[in-house]
Amino acid sequence: MAKYVVGMDLGTTNSVVAYVPLDEEHPRVELLSVPQLVAAGTIETRTTLPSFLYLAHPHEAKDGAFDLPWASGREYAVGELARRQAAEVPDRTVGAAKSWLAHSRVDRRQAILPWNAPAEVPKVSPVVASQRYLEHLIGAWNTAFPDAPLQDQIVVLTVPASFDASARELTREAALAAGLPEGMVLLEEPQAAVYAWLADLGDRWRRQLKLGDKLLVCDVGGGTTDLTLVGVTEESGNLVLERLAVGNHLLIGGDNMDLALAHFAAGQFAEKGLKLDPWQSVALWHSCRNAKEMVLSPGGPEKHSIAVLGRGSKLLRGTVSLEVERSRVAELLVEGFFPRVAITDRPARRRVSGFQEIGLPFESDTAITRHVAAFLRAQGSDPETPARPTHVLFNGGVFKAEVLRARLLEVLASWFPKDPPPRPLLGAPDLDHAVAKGAAYYGWAKHRGGMRIRGGTARAYYVGIETAGLAVPGAVRPLRALCVVPIGMEEGTETDVPSDEIGLVVGEPAQFRFFSSSVRKQDRPGDVLSRWSDEELSETDSLETTLPADEAIEEDYVPVRFHARITELGMLELWCVSPQTNRRWKLEFSVREDAND
């Protein structure tokens, strides 16, 4: 019997656990203190677990150096020690595993991390790295609550709103392998941030939002930016919230800002005749993170010292440092990441070379304001009428800096000069812990009948249909995209997909290609696209399988029509139905959005 609802934020740079007793009438969300190694043999508790994995040399793990209260004999470390090792031994440290889960151009089940590490370094897959973080959080919970093991609790695990079906399914795979319960639910992170706000305000939220308002949730974390638009609608005379749209998965955030500051500092060192080697450059990056957080925090110092350890007589002797001014850091980050741009501006897509390393697809354009402009234009009623947010909810550690919040509000106001400027939601935001807190509150509200955000699927889904025609040597037949699920289709509903009969390959291996879109709101089941841009449709993981043959049909393909169903658990069941024999074949992958069932 579950005693708690547990919210888990598996973050790109930090992970957090929050919880609330199920039997509370007025939920008080608490944070789990997570024991973790801060140095070999030294354990401290923190409310955040840095999402880093250090793969140690075998000799380092002797004498229980990496032992934890719930585990011993490990040759790896998770958390604060691993984060520090990212500066000392970057080739043995895994970071941004969550972003790799969303990178469809690599096999995310293969041992590829740390990326580009030497051959002698053991590697893990993005799925396994995520599993390690979750195992640590589960161990911390079970140690703190031995009479309420996490396997028996109600668990809400958050994912980026921009994660496609494959990334969500891989997250679920890692969670189950770590030991989370089969019945856990997934919740979009921006929605979780809204739930945290609702938990703080209770029914008073209706004093800040009115019918027709649009709330922009701008979540800028350590490694990613996530954008969501939430509308205020009416149901049975009561105001309700409905998720209207989500943006693309943007690999830009606080880490980019730290690197920009490190680049500036390296230039300052170079002016003094001090050249940094690659090891020192990584160490400088991490030193700049601390400097950024210090000088941009409320009441932060006007100046802060950035130090780098020496590496021998030929380069640097001892520790060298320089002072950076608060005003210079603010100018560098504000103008570099939140510049004043027009609503018509588009993010740049620069290419330095025709050859690209198959690493994470980081954004070429660091201007978050340009990405916000593109998102609002994509969600408008037409290309000339972008969606206009009336309110903004900030989330993510980047927005601890008041100067960054103020600049985004200023830019948003400049895009709609004839309308009242967007206002930040009032409350007491906890930018480091809001997602986990909101997940816990959502789980409580789901079971106790509290306020929930409506939404359905955030994306439309399509199957790729190869066109018929004469074969041409070296040419691939054109592909069409058939819509099988529209944006907003609710869990627990199903629909026939109107179309001509489609040939289904059976009895031999075949590849089935799927696509999704977060912007094509007009498409309905049965609509066919002959061409599309990368901004409109993106390909998700293909499914390669052999479907059983139909003995009643001698051909190697069977004419079928489609029937789509979104299950209560958020899975897309795509049934291929033969009108001739009534034989049915099922293709299935996860499109869980937020488990609002």
Side-chain angles (χ1 to χ4, degrees):
M1 176 70 72
K3 297 180 180 179
Y4 299 93
V5 176
V6 182
M8 305 184 75
D9 173 14
L10 180 62
T12 307
T13 52
N14 287 288
S15 297
V16 181
V17 176
Y19 61 95
V20 59
L22 262 178
D23 58 1
E24 285 195 353
E25 279 298 323
H26 304 285
R28 292 178 293 105
V29 182
E30 304 287 346
L31 294 171
L32 177 70
S33 293
V34 182
Q36 57 198 277
L37 291 161
V38 297
T42 303
I43 295 176
E44 295 181 3
T45 59
R46 310 281 173 86
T47 57
T48 61
L49 177 76
S51 301
F52 291 83
L53 170 64
Y54 175 59
L55 305 170
H57 291 276
H59 67 82
E60 292 180 283
K62 292 181 179 179
D63 301 321
F66 295 144
D67 286 359
L68 293 165
W70 57 87
S72 60
R74 288 183 172 176
E75 294 186 354
Y76 63 86
V78 167
E80 180 59 27
L81 170 61
R83 187 185 72 83
R84 294 178 181 178
Q85 291 297 90
E88 300 287 334
V89 196
D91 285 349
R92 285 184 168 269
T93 307
V94 175
K98 178 173 161 183
S99 294
W100 284 97
L101 285 179
H103 189 19
S104 61
R105 295 183 181 179
V106 299
D107 187 343
R108 291 155 283 183
R109 292 187 176 91
Q110 291 299 311
I112 58 174
L113 302 179
W115 185 253
N116 282 340
E120 67 271 15
V121 174
K123 294 183 176 67
V124 298
S125 70
V127 173
V128 168
S130 302
Q131 176 185 336
R132 295 287 179 259
Y133 306 147
L134 291 169
E135 286 173 344
H136 190 108
L137 296 174
I138 292 170
W141 172 273
N142 290 342
T143 301
F145 296 92
D147 296 331
L150 197 57
Q151 176 69 33
D152 298 334
Q153 309 313 306
I154 296 170
V155 177
V156 180
L157 179 64
T158 63
V159 292
S162 51
F163 262 21
D164 66 11
S166 298
R168 292 168 190 261
E169 186 58 29
L170 289 167
T171 302
R172 182 174 180 272
E173 181 180 316
L176 293 177
L180 289 184
E182 182 79 29
M184 67 181 171
V185 296
L186 301 182
L187 177 69
E188 294 172 6
E189 290 165 6
Q191 287 198 47
V194 177
Y195 280 116
W197 178 71
L198 292 171
D200 286 341
L201 266 70
D203 288 339
R204 291 176 295 153
W205 73 267
R206 292 180 175 86
R207 301 177 188 175
Q208 291 194 44
L209 298 175
K210 65 179 186 300
L211 185 64
D213 281 349
K214 287 187 174 65
L215 169 63
L216 172 65
V217 184
C218 191
D219 184 352
V220 184
T224 59
T225 292
D226 222 356
L227 304 172
T228 290
L229 205 59
V230 176
V232 183
T233 61
E234 192 175 34
E235 186 177 85
S236 302
N238 296 316
L239 293 182
V240 295
L241 299 177
E242 179 179 6
R243 191 257 288 110
L244 302 176
V246 300
N248 294 325
H249 192 62
L250 302 174
L251 290 184
I252 182 172
D255 291 344
N256 303 74
M257 298 180 183
D258 303 334
L259 189 59
L261 184 54
H263 181 74
F264 166 75
Q268 298 294 299
F269 280 126
E271 289 180 5
K272 297 180 179 182
L274 303 174
K275 183 180 179 181
L276 306 181
D277 67 12
W279 178 89
Q280 290 165 318
S281 297
V282 175
L284 177 62
W285 183 7
H286 291 275
S287 181
C288 286
R289 175 189 296 121
N290 296 331
K292 177 199 71 178
E293 293 174 354
M294 285 292 295
V295 300
L296 294 185
S297 62
E302 291 300 319
K303 293 183 178 181
H304 186 78
S305 178
I306 296 177
V308 180
L309 294 176
R311 292 281 281 178
S313 59
K314 292 185 179 180
L315 288 173
L316 301 177
R317 296 179 182 271
T319 300
V320 295
S321 64
L322 62 85
E323 283 193 332
V324 292
E325 297 180 349
R326 178 188 181 96
S327 58
R328 185 69 184 94
V329 173
E331 178 187 12
L332 181 72
L333 300 185
V334 169
E335 299 305 329
F337 294 88
F338 292 88
R340 297 181 178 93
V341 300
I343 185 67
T344 54
D345 282 1
R346 295 179 177 275
R349 296 184 178 275
R350 294 185 295 272
R351 289 290 183 267
V352 177
S353 169
F355 297 102
Q356 297 287 313
E357 184 180 53
I358 307 298
L360 284 174
F362 294 105
E363 299 302 321
S364 299
D365 195 331
T366 61
I368 292 173
T369 41
R370 264 194 286 272
H371 292 287
V372 173
F375 171 67
L376 294 179
R377 284 199 316 275
Q379 304 308 328
S381 56
D382 58 68
E384 304 301 321
T385 311
R388 182 181 74 85
T390 58
H391 296 76
V392 179
L393 177 63
F394 297 106
N395 193 53
V398 163
F399 285 121
K400 290 180 181 178
E402 193 279 333
V403 65
L404 300 181
R405 301 195 303 271
R407 171 54 70 87
L408 180 57
L409 290 172
E410 174 196 335
V411 172
L412 286 170
S414 72
W415 294 341
F416 307 98
K418 297 180 180 180
D419 298 298
R423 291 174 289 169
L425 290 184
L426 301 178
D430 182 354
L431 297 172
D432 286 330
H433 309 108
V435 168
K437 287 183 172 181
Y441 176 76
Y442 162 78
W444 179 90
K446 181 173 182 289
H447 283 265
R448 299 297 296 269
M451 174 66 189
R452 286 185 287 150
I453 302 168
R454 301 186 308 186
T457 57
R459 295 173 178 269
Y461 286 88
Y462 307 77
V463 294
I465 309 295
E466 182 180 309
T467 57
L470 296 174
V472 178
V476 178
R477 286 194 177 100
L479 199 70
R480 293 178 180 173
L482 171 68
C483 180
V484 293
V485 169
I487 290 177
M489 185 169 172
E490 297 287 346
E491 287 87 349
T493 62
E494 53 192 283
T495 183
D496 288 321
V497 179
S499 73
D500 295 332
E501 292 182 354
I502 305 295
L504 175 69
V505 177
V506 296
E508 63 182 71
Q511 181 185 54
F512 300 92
R513 297 175 65 183
F514 299 95
F515 300 81
S516 70
S517 174
S518 62
V519 297
R520 293 192 62 91
K521 299 180 181 179
Q522 72 278 18
D523 290 346
R524 314 314 302 166
D527 288 351
V528 177
L529 308 183
S530 299
R531 60 178 61 89
W532 56 86
S533 66
D534 290 342
E535 288 76 19
E536 289 181 297
L537 259 65
S538 58
E539 187 165 4
T540 65
D541 282 359
S542 60
L543 173 65
E544 296 186 17
T545 188
T546 300
L547 297 177
D550 188 339
E551 292 79 5
I553 298 178
E554 296 183 359
E555 300 289 340
D556 57 0
Y557 69 89
V558 178
V560 297
R561 289 193 172 93
F562 296 114
H563 181 85
R565 177 173 178 261
I566 303 295
T567 71
E568 294 291 342
L569 295 179
M571 304 290 290
L572 167 60
E573 292 181 354
L574 185 61
W575 289 92
C576 307
V577 184
S578 167
Q580 298 180 22
T581 65
N582 289 325
R583 179 77 181 269
R584 294 157 61 89
W585 294 262
K586 184 173 70 170
L587 301 174
E588 183 178 51
F589 66 103
S590 174
V591 297
R592 166 164 293 284
E593 301 300 331
D594 55 21
N596 278 346
D597 49 288

